[in-house]
Amino acid sequence: MTLTSPGPTLGVVGGGQLGRMLAEAAAPLGVEVVVSDPTPDAPAAPVARDQVVGDFDDPGTVRELAERADFLTFEIELADPDLLERVSEETGTPVHPDPETLRIIEDKLVQKRRLADAGVPVPEFREVNSAGELRAALDDLGYPAMLKARKGGYDGRGNVPVESPEDVDEAFAEIVDAAQGGSQTDPSGVAMVEEMVDFERELAVMGCLGSERWGEGDEPERDTFPVTETIHREEILRETRSPPEADEDVRERARGVALDVLDVMEGRGVYGIELFQGPDGEILLNEIAPRPHNSGHWTIEGCHTSQFEQHVRAVTGRPLGDTGRRAPTVSANVLGDVDERQAATLSGEDAVFERPRAHLHWYGKREVYRLRKMGHVTLVGESGDRTDRLLADVRELRDGLTFRD
Amino acid sequence: MTLTSPGPTLGVVGGGQLGRMLAEAAAPLGVEVVVSDPTPDAPAAPVARDQVVGDFDDPGTVRELAERADFLTFEIELADPDLLERVSEETGTPVHPDPETLRIIEDKLVQKRRLADAGVPVPEFREVNSAGELRAALDDLGYPAMLKARKGGYDGRGNVPVESPEDVDEAFAEIVDAAQGGSQTDPSGVAMVEEMVDFERELAVMGCLGSERWGEGDEPERDTFPVTETIHREEILRETRSPPEADEDVRERARGVALDVLDVMEGRGVYGIELFQGPDGEILLNEIAPRPHNSGHWTIEGCHTSQFEQHVRAVTGRPLGDTGRRAPTVSANVLGDVDERQAATLSGEDAVFERPRAHLHWYGKREVYRLRKMGHVTLVGESGDRTDRLLADVRELRDGLTFRD
């Protein structure tokens, strides 16, 4: 390959924080980024070459993006796989990962079936198309269980716990409503239910699929970033730590499951692979995101190559970078702590700037609302540091930040 | 302070690679960058929020930049201190470093005098306003010596070695011509001459001056990055290594001189401080750049905070970041290797992408010419690695890159 100016242009469907951090990582490599997003002046806009304003699934928008780009990718699962495939064929601009992967992943039932068929360990699950089917499934799986919208779930939206038989009707009505905004009366194809895993901890692995050019034989180059522990509250990621407290053999097993997941995925890019570690150290797959993921933000400072640079490398056909960890690293999300939607003004951030080896990442969102992801703080330790100490420190830094007056 | 969106805007006079890397570093901090540069679509443009097209010393351009910015800085010494001062007063937008520093530095004779007066060790030097004065000075200083244009020198341009008395007339005519483009016949104020230092090696220290708010007493916060060895050929920087081969006491002395230099500088920002290490380990100041400097590019991956992030922090009034070195690190400049000015197409770069812990930085310049700085390669070692080995490796990577067909 060669490098020119203007360099290759990467078109990204979605201009949120992931698009922004992709653009930050692309610049040193000489890759220019154009994003599409319905919100004018989206978070990625000030860093990207340009933004095409339009919906994620608007044909004209995606087509304009493809025409301006040498490679197309997406940072949001709301991207439409059929549209991406058609536009890619019409314009000749390749799209990575393959839209087929998006098709598999966007429907959680299809995703789980494909992975289970491939031998990836997953929690027990059932398709449920009515409250009656849900009740029958739970007679088998037992209570409590997690009822999930098959499509469109995100940060806990579209997940409803079912504690006992009395909850079944209400839970099913809620998931149908959540999935369809109440506009549809036929609940077929809307939901699945999954056993509630009594996990010891949650882990995540960023998997990487590169080009066949750099792999062995006809296989794409593959790799994983170091295993990360993810800590959720209200089903929203709050903190990560890497290495996790998990034993070495558990980490190896998690990495093995991630590699098995990558065998099912098609197309270049990084994949956020969320896992449960069960009480006996067994690993079960939770969910997959076919894009950079919140659980990998710590790699920006914590690894020799960040997940964002890795995604840019993979999509543009470059060799994958070194995923090695520089030092134990933790991160904490900065979430909206206000009740009403309002203009975003963060205070307390100078304590983060003052702290050695702490890094504030601000996503540039103009408005804040409760639990909105506004930024994150990463804290890098010294080789050999325990992450429980680092975790306490990064929480203290994060807890000193507020959007309140 | 607080963080908002859009965040504080930093106006940068100059949109070359330094402006580009400033913009890359500013984005995670929520700082937006607008640059001014006479070349449309300058290297910084794709990464910055916007570019104002206009000359560095054009009043309308600088004024527009100031009006759009919360803070003003410069990445090029060609910025006009009087203009910056006037525009800053008129618009109320502070400029850092203080234009007075630019005034001291832009004239090498004034710079050397101020530093010598402050006790900073400098090579012997003389003001010379005619070939006769040059001859008289060299009777005293001895041959060979370095004749320098007082203003406008850059990457060796404006430096003429004088080997013997026979060279004096021609050298003086050349420096007058170089300094004035031959347009002026009065050579007063044009040149100075300096003893040729028989150095063991060249060192550089990036110095940092922050805000009084974060310093002790009324003093600005100050710090230095780790000492770096710089390797020049044809007076253009080729490679850096940090730590240098120099002994610990030499490094300490270099750091001490850098801190003394900072005492003479006024205003927030990073300063590239170039030094000679003499045969007995003594340190002499060579030159100062009041901005991020090529000798500090390795800090992007090699230190916890890069020189670019540090400059953004300092100028926008944030606390300085941790200047600690992550691991031994080397860098090599990617220079134009073609004879004719032409469209830039680099090949051989995949070997850099393949190499673990190697990082290619591409500046996005559309045209290449001989010795033009087009990018750089950084190679990060493991703790305890010797930099001579790393240096050989990064040279090999760099030598594999070419702009030739």
Side-chain angles (χ1 to χ4, degrees):
Chain A
M1 300 177 77
T2 58
L3 249 178
T4 55
S5 299
T9 296
L10 178 61
V12 184
V13 177
Q17 66 264 27
L18 300 177
R20 183 180 174 113
M21 289 185 274
L22 278 172
E24 289 167 11
L29 309 182
V31 174
E32 300 201 351
V33 168
V34 178
V35 301
S36 76
D37 201 280
T39 308
D41 201 21
V47 185
R49 162 68 84 171
D50 209 353
Q51 174 184 352
V52 181
V53 177
D55 281 335
F56 305 123
D57 57 359
D58 175 60
T61 300
V62 176
R63 198 186 164 94
E64 184 182 341
L65 193 66
E67 280 169 351
R68 295 182 61 175
D70 300 292
F71 304 92
L72 211 53
T73 190
F74 42 87
E75 56 101 271
I76 186 156
E77 286 95 329
L78 294 175
D80 178 341
D82 298 334
L83 176 60
L84 285 171
E85 208 162 62
R86 195 171 71 240
V87 165
S88 177
E89 272 165 26
E90 285 167 8
T91 60
T93 305
V95 54
H96 303 288
D98 195 298
E100 182 58 23
T101 288
L102 200 48
R103 234 174 250 129
I104 295 171
I105 286 178
E106 67 171 356
D107 184 328
K108 289 179 186 173
L109 181 66
V110 174
Q111 182 190 137
K112 282 276 154 65
R113 281 188 178 144
R114 281 289 284 272
L115 291 162
D117 288 349
V120 173
V122 299
E124 292 265 358
F125 65 93
R126 299 283 185 281
E127 177 176 1
V128 287
N129 292 311
S130 67
E133 285 185 21
L134 175 57
R135 185 168 287 111
L138 293 185
D139 285 346
D140 187 21
L141 294 180
Y143 294 86
M146 187 64 86
L147 182 64
K148 295 183 170 186
R150 283 169 56 180
K151 291 192 180 185
Y154 189 99
D155 281 345
R157 278 166 275 178
N159 281 6
V160 180
V162 193
E163 303 291 341
S164 68
E166 290 73 53
D167 294 343
V168 164
D169 290 325
E170 197 179 328
F172 195 80
E174 191 179 335
I175 209 76
V176 170
D177 194 56
Q180 306 178 329
S183 64
Q184 204 178 317
T185 49
D186 177 10
S188 290
V190 162
M192 64 176 288
V193 67
E194 212 173 77
E195 64 167 325
M196 193 82 88
V197 177
D198 182 26
F199 57 80
E200 180 79 17
R201 59 174 62 83
E202 291 185 85
L203 300 173
V205 178
M206 293 304 307
C208 326
L209 282 181
S211 160
E212 285 77 11
R213 183 168 172 191
W214 309 107
E216 290 178 23
D218 291 338
E219 292 296 306
E221 191 180 11
R222 357 178 265 173
D223 202 356
T224 63
F225 281 90
V227 180
T228 306
E229 181 172 345
T230 54
I231 299 155
H232 294 79
R233 266 203 317 283
E234 298 176 72
E235 298 194 59
I236 295 181
L237 182 66
R238 304 301 171 122
E239 298 99 14
T240 70
R241 62 204 293 187
S242 187
E245 291 282 273
D247 295 335
E248 183 54 36
D249 62 321
V250 171
R251 285 187 247 165
E252 266 312 299
R253 216 170 304 141
R255 186 166 184 271
V257 170
L259 288 170
D260 290 343
V261 168
L262 289 180
D263 283 341
V264 182
M265 301 294 115
E266 281 182 43
R268 284 138 52 174
V270 299
Y271 295 84
I273 301 167
E274 295 186 276
L275 306 166
F276 296 120
Q277 174 192 339
D280 301 317
E282 74 278 18
I283 300 294
L284 292 174
L285 179 83
N286 180 10
E287 279 179 18
I288 303 168
R291 51 166 175 77
H293 188 259
N294 198 165
S295 64
H297 290 356
W298 67 274
T299 61
I300 296 175
E301 290 87 10
C303 290
H304 295 295
T305 308
S306 78
Q307 64 164 344
F308 298 102
E309 176 176 340
Q310 195 77 309
H311 192 71
V312 174
R313 282 173 175 252
V315 170
T316 60
R318 299 289 183 184
L320 295 178
D322 182 351
T323 55
R325 186 170 44 227
R326 285 169 168 154
T329 304
V330 298
S331 78
N333 278 344
V334 180
L335 304 177
D337 63 347
V338 293
D339 296 321
E340 300 290 322
R341 191 178 184 110
Q342 57 191 253
T345 302
L346 183 72
S347 57
E349 80 290 0
D350 273 328
V352 182
F353 283 106
E354 280 193 275
R355 171 75 187 231
R357 299 178 171 218
H359 301 269
L360 179 65
H361 292 259
W362 177 248
Y363 302 156
K365 297 178 183 178
R366 303 209 169 193
E367 289 187 315
V368 60
Y369 49 78
R370 199 178 103 78
L371 297 182
R372 187 177 202 195
K373 291 178 178 174
M374 300 300 292
H376 72 270
V377 178
T378 301
L379 184 61
V380 182
E382 309 250 13
S383 178
D385 275 358
R386 285 179 58 98
T387 52
D388 51 357
R389 176 74 173 275
L390 290 170
L391 191 60
D393 287 354
V394 82
R395 281 175 169 153
E396 194 182 323
L397 287 174
R398 190 262 324 276
D399 292 345
L401 302 172
T402 184
F403 293 95
R404 296 195 192 122
D405 290 335
Chain B
M1 297 177 77
T2 59
L3 250 177
T4 54
S5 300
T9 297
L10 177 60
V12 184
V13 177
Q17 66 264 27
L18 300 178
R20 182 179 174 113
M21 290 185 274
L22 277 172
E24 289 167 10
L29 309 183
V31 174
E32 300 201 352
V33 168
V34 178
V35 301
S36 75
D37 201 280
T39 308
D41 202 20
V47 185
R49 161 68 83 172
D50 209 352
Q51 174 184 351
V52 181
V53 178
D55 282 335
F56 306 123
D57 56 0
D58 174 61
T61 300
V62 176
R63 199 187 163 94
E64 185 183 341
L65 193 66
E67 280 168 352
R68 296 183 60 175
D70 300 292
F71 302 92
L72 211 54
T73 190
F74 43 86
E75 55 102 93
I76 186 156
E77 285 95 330
L78 296 175
D80 177 340
D82 297 334
L83 176 60
L84 285 171
E85 208 162 63
R86 196 172 68 240
V87 165
S88 176
E89 272 166 26
E90 284 168 8
T91 60
T93 304
V95 55
H96 303 286
D98 195 298
E100 182 57 24
T101 289
L102 199 49
R103 232 174 252 131
I104 296 170
I105 286 178
E106 67 171 356
D107 185 327
K108 289 179 185 173
L109 180 67
V110 174
Q111 182 189 139
K112 282 277 155 64
R113 280 186 178 148
R114 281 289 284 270
L115 292 162
D117 288 350
V120 173
V122 298
E124 291 266 355
F125 66 92
R126 299 283 185 280
E127 177 177 0
V128 287
N129 291 312
S130 65
E133 284 186 21
L134 174 57
R135 185 167 286 111
L138 294 184
D139 285 345
D140 186 20
L141 293 181
Y143 293 86
M146 187 64 86
L147 183 63
K148 295 183 169 186
R150 283 170 54 182
K151 290 192 181 185
Y154 189 100
D155 282 345
R157 277 166 276 179
N159 280 6
V160 179
V162 193
E163 303 292 340
S164 70
E166 290 73 52
D167 294 342
V168 165
D169 289 326
E170 197 180 325
F172 194 80
E174 190 179 334
I175 208 76
V176 170
D177 194 55
Q180 304 178 329
S183 65
Q184 203 177 319
T185 47
D186 178 10
S188 291
V190 163
M192 63 176 288
V193 67
E194 212 173 79
E195 65 168 324
M196 194 82 89
V197 177
D198 182 25
F199 56 81
E200 179 80 17
R201 59 173 61 84
E202 292 185 85
L203 300 173
V205 178
M206 293 304 307
C208 324
L209 282 180
S211 159
E212 285 77 12
R213 183 168 171 189
W214 310 107
E216 290 180 24
D218 292 338
E219 292 297 305
E221 192 181 10
R222 348 179 272 175
D223 201 356
T224 63
F225 281 91
V227 180
T228 306
E229 182 173 345
T230 55
I231 299 156
H232 293 77
R233 266 202 318 283
E234 297 177 73
E235 298 195 58
I236 294 181
L237 183 66
R238 305 299 171 123
E239 297 99 13
T240 69
R241 64 205 293 189
S242 186
E245 292 282 272
D247 296 333
E248 183 53 38
D249 62 321
V250 171
R251 285 187 248 164
E252 266 313 298
R253 217 170 303 140
R255 185 165 185 272
V257 170
L259 288 170
D260 289 343
V261 168
L262 289 180
D263 283 341
V264 182
M265 301 293 115
E266 281 182 41
R268 284 136 55 172
V270 300
Y271 295 84
I273 301 167
E274 298 186 274
L275 305 167
F276 297 120
Q277 175 193 338
D280 301 317
E282 73 276 21
I283 300 294
L284 292 174
L285 179 83
N286 179 10
E287 278 179 18
I288 303 167
R291 52 166 174 78
H293 188 261
N294 198 165
S295 64
H297 290 355
W298 68 274
T299 61
I300 296 175
E301 289 87 9
C303 291
H304 295 295
T305 307
S306 78
Q307 66 165 343
F308 298 102
E309 176 176 339
Q310 195 76 308
H311 192 71
V312 174
R313 282 173 175 251
V315 169
T316 60
R318 300 288 183 183
L320 295 178
D322 181 352
T323 55
R325 186 168 46 225
R326 285 170 168 155
T329 303
V330 297
S331 78
N333 279 345
V334 179
L335 304 177
D337 62 346
V338 293
D339 296 323
E340 301 289 323
R341 190 176 184 111
Q342 58 190 253
T345 301
L346 182 72
S347 57
E349 80 290 359
D350 273 328
V352 181
F353 283 107
E354 280 194 274
R355 170 74 188 234
R357 300 177 171 218
H359 301 268
L360 179 65
H361 292 259
W362 177 248
Y363 302 156
K365 296 178 182 178
R366 304 210 167 191
E367 291 188 314
V368 59
Y369 50 77
R370 199 178 105 76
L371 297 181
R372 188 177 201 196
K373 291 179 179 174
M374 300 299 293
H376 72 271
V377 177
T378 301
L379 184 61
V380 182
E382 310 249 14
S383 178
D385 275 357
R386 286 179 57 99
T387 52
D388 51 357
R389 175 76 173 273
L390 289 169
L391 191 59
D393 287 355
V394 82
R395 282 177 169 150
E396 194 182 323
L397 287 174
R398 190 265 322 275
D399 292 346
L401 301 173
T402 183
F403 293 94
R404 297 195 190 120
D405 291 335

